[in-house]
Amino acid sequence: NSGPDGCAIFYKKDKFDLVKLDSRVLEVWKVQSNQTVLSVTLRSKKTSKEMVFATTHLKARNGVVMPTLRNEQGKDLMEFLNDQAQGRPVVCTGDFNAEPGEPVYQTMTAAKSLRLNSAYKDVLSNEPEYTTWKFREDGEHIQTLDYVFYSPDQLKVDSILNMPTGEQIGEHRLPSLSYASDHFSLVADFRIIG
């Protein structure tokens, strides 16, 4: 935990061996922010193949400079992931606090050194309509801010968990007794290819 938003990665010790655990405070214009990325390199006990899993929580808030700030964090994140990958498949999840139209989304999916796709977009042909649905002081917010990015040349998405409907969520939206977070869980099943 670094700042108000922590990151965690859980894995099954009967399926994977931990090769490496690493983290980094993300930088914006060479200055540390209070957002982090956490990564693990795991080795499959069954196949001996290694993969990198990472998670982050980028800067929240609205405002003219915020998309630029998140994009700078995304650039630093991609540099970190590239260093961690070393040719291994990568899965990077997180609350990016950015709609698909923000520059950080392009930074994550258009990098030349480490090509990543969005698991949800690949299965649905578009990002989900929302990954959070809540009321704030200024009204109702229905947004897509969370993503599961992965290495499409080394992994295939077999399935994803769909978002609940508005009726399933309930009139008070998030969080609630049914959904404890103000964001929905994203789940993707991957298969190693090649």
Side-chain angles (χ1 to χ4, degrees):
N1 185 28
S2 174
D5 300 317
C7 294
I9 298 175
F10 301 91
Y11 67 94
K12 294 184 177 183
K13 290 184 176 182
D14 63 329
K15 294 189 184 258
F16 294 99
D17 288 319
L18 177 65
V19 175
K20 182 180 179 185
L21 171 66
D22 208 348
S23 67
R24 176 176 180 158
V25 176
L26 294 172
E27 293 184 355
V28 176
W29 301 298
K30 305 293 183 196
V31 176
Q32 286 188 341
S33 64
N34 69 344
Q35 284 73 45
T36 62
V37 56
L38 176 66
S39 76
V40 294
T41 301
L42 300 177
R43 182 182 301 116
S44 168
K45 289 187 176 191
K46 185 177 180 180
T47 66
S48 295
K49 292 194 176 189
E50 293 182 2
M51 292 181 57
V52 175
F53 295 89
T55 190
T56 192
H57 192 156
L58 299 187
K59 186 71 177 163
R61 305 273 185 261
N62 295 324
V64 135
V65 75
M66 297 316 292
T68 302
L69 189 141
R70 282 189 286 271
N71 193 40
E72 291 300 314
Q73 289 180 324
K75 290 175 185 177
D76 196 41
L77 170 61
M78 287 301 285
E79 184 178 305
F80 175 80
L81 291 176
N82 196 46
D83 289 344
Q84 299 298 310
Q86 302 295 310
R88 299 177 191 101
V90 172
V91 174
C92 180
T93 68
D95 177 354
F96 285 75
N97 277 305
E99 295 272 1
E102 271 200 32
V104 69
Y105 186 92
Q106 280 295 111
T107 294
M108 296 301 296
T109 58
K112 291 185 176 88
S113 58
L114 183 63
R115 190 171 152 256
L116 300 177
N117 280 11
S118 165
Y120 273 73
K121 184 176 180 184
D122 282 356
V123 171
L124 300 173
S125 299
N126 284 301
E127 292 297 344
E129 290 181 49
Y130 48 84
T131 61
T132 180
W133 192 340
K134 55 194 164 193
F135 288 103
R136 295 279 195 203
E137 304 79 41
D138 61 344
E140 192 170 22
H141 289 252
I142 305 169
Q143 299 172 286
T144 299
L145 304 175
D146 310 278
Y147 306 95
V148 178
F149 296 111
Y150 73 102
S151 303
D153 53 334
Q154 297 173 296
L155 300 170
K156 181 180 184 322
V157 183
D158 282 336
S159 62
I160 57 165
L161 178 67
N162 288 320
M163 296 297 113
T165 65
E167 185 176 286
Q168 291 169 323
I169 297 165
E171 65 182 276
H172 299 293
R173 305 306 182 211
L174 301 177
S176 68
L177 292 176
S178 298
Y179 301 97
S181 175
D182 64 342
H183 292 250
F184 296 108
S185 295
L186 275 63
V187 178
D189 290 331
F190 293 99
R191 181 171 12 111
I192 297 176
I193 57 174

